[in-house]
Amino acid sequence: MAPSEVVMLNVLLLTLACFGVGAAGALLTAPWPRMSRLVGHACALVGAIGALALGAAGLAGGALGVIIPALLPIGGFSLGIDRLSAFFVLVIAVAAIPSALYAIAYTRAYEGRRSLAGMGCGFNAFLAGMVLVVLARNVLTFLVMWEAMSLASYFLVMTEAEHRETQRAGWMYLVMTHAGFACLLVGFLLMARETGTMGLSEWRAASTTLSQPMRHAIFALLALGFGTKAGVIPLHIWLPKAHPAAPSHVSALMSGVMIKLGIYGLVRIGFDWLGVGPSWWGGAILVVGAISAVLGVLYALVEDDLKCLLAYSSVENIGIILLGVGAGMLFHSYQLGALASLALVAGLYHTLNHATFKPLLFMGAGAVVHATHTRNMEEMGGLIKRMPQTAVYFLVGSVAIAALPPFNGFISEWLMFQSLLLSFQISATGTNLLFAVSIAALALTSGLAAACFVKAFGITFLALPRSTQAEQARETPWMMRGAMGMSAIACLMLGVAPVGLLRLLNTTAAELTGAHADASFNWNVVVANGAFGTASPLWIAVALISLPALILMALRIIGANARRRTYETWGCGRALQTARFEYTAAAFANPFKRVFGLLYRPVKELDIQFHPESRFFIDTITYRNEARSIFDEALYDPISRLVQRVAQRARVVQSGNVHLYLLYIFVALVVLLALAS
């Protein structure tokens, strides 16, 4: 084993040891809640730092392979790292470090009310499971770690299990994640049977022996399994329920990282395990990505629940990432390796960017919920004066997710546009039309995302407080603000200086597609396809900073009046301004509900309470205009009713008679013996 491999192995063992000590320490110190909280999350923080070092070393070219001897007849555990695995370990660490730091202070509110030992243990198990999933090198390791990750996240979602909303969210998450796991299990076993090996690294070479129908079936099964974890539409139904129900530091990891492991799986099957696929594979991913991006942001726009809005926004960003992955698969099928790498680099970089600004936004939302004890934006307002630092960090996340410079969302979406626009190099008319629709979907998504986060920030932080809780809100502890500050700095650095990482991702993509991206990444300029598109993130940032300074200097030179004048806000002729005159979340979303009424199909209710003395005087007016989910009503509700009817009929076999149950067992044994003979 080379010295570099020894170092990486030691870092991996240290990382896993920290997670193990954190999980065990949290349980052993359960009688002392404060100690349990500190031990569990502090060890998770150290382990996440180790994962960051491991991911950085692997992305720079380090390699590692570890085989644990067989403990079961079906084989042992196998771990390894290549550039793609290392990148996703890096993604996990980038979100886990601030989330763990944030959790040390955030979970203080659970002392005396929840099991902090269970939370600390589950948090460490969750992180360890995610790291080991991307390092897995055989079927057994991958499936065991995938299930461990899913179960750990389920128990974290169920932290506040006494609430009916949490119970429903946990149940839905459990059902959907195991439906996805069933698809993965069947797909992996079929692939192992057809190739004759359980080693994931051997599948790419062995996939050439598969028949086309079998390749298509395996691709469909694995895409369904990974798509369910990624939360793509229409498999997203669990996501906007489970993420808001979880504690905010867990929501940050689930939304920022866990759903990206679905992306990891899709990249593996599209570029690695199954080899070069037909064009319809990439086309299907591209269509699903476009639909998820547009519908995700449309549903986010009409949400009043701040965390639910962020969850739907994750569906949107998964859609944007899939646009890059799908485009890369399409280019790859047409033997355009350089364009495939460019699209894949765009998708992977947006994966990293989303892992920075989405945890920042969830931590900001958690700080707001921590201070106001509500997720309803209608009961917030005016928080910028009471929580100024949190407001600044949330604003940074909002600008980044809206893909505005100088933050990181801009450069990844710019690269995405460049890769999609270069599709004219494909001569197939149908494929060109598909790319044109994808470009339109990405453009529409970008505009709607900006509107969505104008609403999220404005309704939450601006104007006057609309409730007593908002009026009494105070800034969060310094550790929570420090964690948000770390993510905000990462958003800025990845937006201003992306070139170093883009070069490493270019090499990563080249290992999968066989060609480097059709782009050059200089120290301050990104150039796509020669001179087709050019962007300089650093100079854009300098210009954005310099322009206001130049304007102020010009005003000073011409002798403009610099005295501060204080005056009340214009109130349309009213002498007194109150929170009742503010723009609300419902009012902001109403134009979108009108334009996209076919999608939302809102339910309108108007309740007028008259004054008891006279009907000529109105006491209160209550107006509800809630959107309905077309997927719930058209897809999942009919399935639920069907399952309930089948279950009711199946109850007849549960007679409670032991002799009848023994008969069932006897018949089952006879059938199995007959099949085996």
Side-chain angles (χ1 to χ4, degrees), residues 380-383 385-386 459 461-467 470 577-580 582:
M380 299 176 186
L383 296 179
K385 295 180 180 179
R386 292 155 180 81
I459 302 299
F461 290 98
L462 302 183
L464 297 174
R466 291 184 293 277
S467 67
Q577 292 296 304
T578 68
R580 296 185 62 186
E582 293 175 7

Side-chain angles (χ1 to χ4, degrees), residues 353 356-358 360-361 364 388-410 453 457 461 484-493:
N353 289 338
T356 55
F357 55 64
K358 185 50 65 69
L360 170 58
L361 289 167
Q389 294 183 41
T390 299
V392 170
Y393 296 141
F394 196 92
L395 180 61
V396 169
S398 299
V399 174
I401 202 171
L404 298 175
F407 296 102
N408 53 348
F410 167 75
F453 283 90
F457 180 80
F461 290 98
M484 290 186 280
M486 291 171 59
S487 293
I489 292 171
C491 289
L492 180 61
M493 295 305 297

Side-chain angles (χ1 to χ4, degrees), residues 299-384:
Y299 279 119
L301 266 167
V302 298
E303 276 296 332
D304 298 337
D305 184 320
L306 182 57
K307 291 183 70 175
C308 196
L309 180 150
L310 296 177
Y312 272 118
S313 171
S314 293
V315 176
E316 168 224 335
N317 279 274
I318 285 293
I320 293 174
I321 294 167
L322 289 182
L323 288 176
V325 175
M329 291 171 64
L330 262 175
F331 287 133
H332 202 204
S333 67
Y334 282 98
Q335 306 301 316
L336 297 171
L339 289 182
S341 289
L342 179 61
L344 187 56
V345 166
L348 291 178
Y349 198 60
H350 197 73
T351 299
L352 177 61
N353 289 338
H354 187 252
T356 55
F357 55 64
K358 185 50 65 69
L360 170 58
L361 289 167
F362 264 111
M363 288 187 290
V368 169
V369 174
H370 181 272
T372 63
H373 308 290
T374 181
R375 302 196 317 242
N376 187 358
M377 287 187 288
E378 302 288 21
E379 299 178 16
M380 299 176 186
L383 296 179
I384 192 171

